Amino acid sequence: MSFQDKLTAIMQKPGQDPNAKDDAPWYLKYGGRIVGTFGGFISILVGAIGCLGIILFSVWSFLSGICMMLIGFLVIVVEAPCCCMFIEFVQKISNIADSRPYWNRAALYCGLPIIPLVMNLTITTFFACALIFCTGLIYGVMAIGKKASRDEMSRAAATVDGPGMSSHTKSNLVENAQPIGLSNRPDSNV
């Protein structure tokens, strides 16, 4: 049994089909989960520290901290439900998120961290939000999908000429158009 098979068996949910139905590479799947889980924990920690800004009467720091803690909790619930296994609804939310396409998760993870950054831009909030944003980028790459093989790309490039299209270098969008150098001079009598 290879390392990848062992890692897949450990990370598998109970009752999950062992054969993956998508074509995303395993290193992107686990990389997204690891970065998301780490980013969620960092976001909760930085949010808790940001909430201490209420001592200095900084309302925006407090609101940003609350928002970061909620976003971090959401990311941990979706990416690592084993960390919150004693909360009843966590597995249901994780199953719903896993059944959705990757671009939904990418849009969520790229959009949510903008809110605390707008409220309170500090280096710590930027770092915590950047980790969650990177998770969104990883899921965006997974949503794009696998690159085609060299043979498939060369076949697609060779069949660019469709009906009514020409690969001639002087082809135009309009069939009866001529290059400027070959057209007749306009009549000056008109």
Side-chain angles (χ1 to χ4, degrees):
M1 180 179 253
S2 69
F3 176 72
Q4 178 184 353
D5 295 336
K6 289 179 184 177
L7 189 62
T8 303
I10 291 171
M11 298 294 281
Q12 189 171 325
K13 292 181 182 175
Q16 183 180 3
D17 187 17
N19 299 328
K21 293 176 180 55
D22 57 352
D23 58 347
W26 65 272
Y27 52 86
L28 283 179
K29 287 181 189 177
Y30 298 128
R33 292 224 183 244
I34 290 169
V35 172
T37 305
F38 181 70
F41 280 122
I42 295 296
S43 182
I44 289 173
L45 180 69
V46 169
I49 293 170
C51 285
L52 295 177
I54 198 69
I55 295 171
L56 302 173
F57 302 109
S58 175
V59 176
W60 290 111
S61 175
F62 177 73
L63 292 176
S64 173
I66 295 286
C67 188
M68 285 181 61
M69 288 194 307
L70 290 174
I71 292 170
F73 179 71
L74 176 72
V75 171
I76 288 176
V77 163
V78 171
E79 296 301 324
C82 60
C83 296
C84 307
M85 72 173 109
F86 299 110
I87 303 173
E88 291 179 20
F89 61 89
V90 167
Q91 192 63 39
K92 189 182 293 185
I93 293 173
S94 178
N95 289 339
I96 291 170
D98 285 342
S99 68
R100 305 292 301 161
Y102 287 133
W103 69 267
N104 291 124
R105 217 182 283 188
L108 182 74
Y109 292 162
C110 287
L112 282 180
I114 295 173
I115 298 168
L117 282 177
V118 170
M119 289 183 194
N120 183 25
L121 181 61
T122 61
I123 192 73
T124 54
T125 51
F126 180 77
F127 179 69
C129 291
L131 285 172
I132 295 175
F133 190 82
C134 286
T135 306
L137 292 180
I138 291 171
Y139 279 108
V141 169
M142 289 168 54
I144 290 172
K146 198 181 234 185
K147 183 179 172 185
S149 68
R150 184 176 177 90
D151 295 333
E152 290 174 337
M153 287 193 291
S154 62
R155 270 195 309 265
T159 59
V160 167
D161 297 338
M165 295 181 72
S166 169
S167 63
H168 190 266
T169 57
K170 293 196 183 237
S171 67
N172 295 317
L173 294 175
V174 182
E175 300 228 358
N176 62 356
Q178 296 178 352
I180 294 174
L182 300 176
S183 62
N184 297 333
R185 291 184 148 219
D187 257 349
S188 60
N189 297 340
V190 178

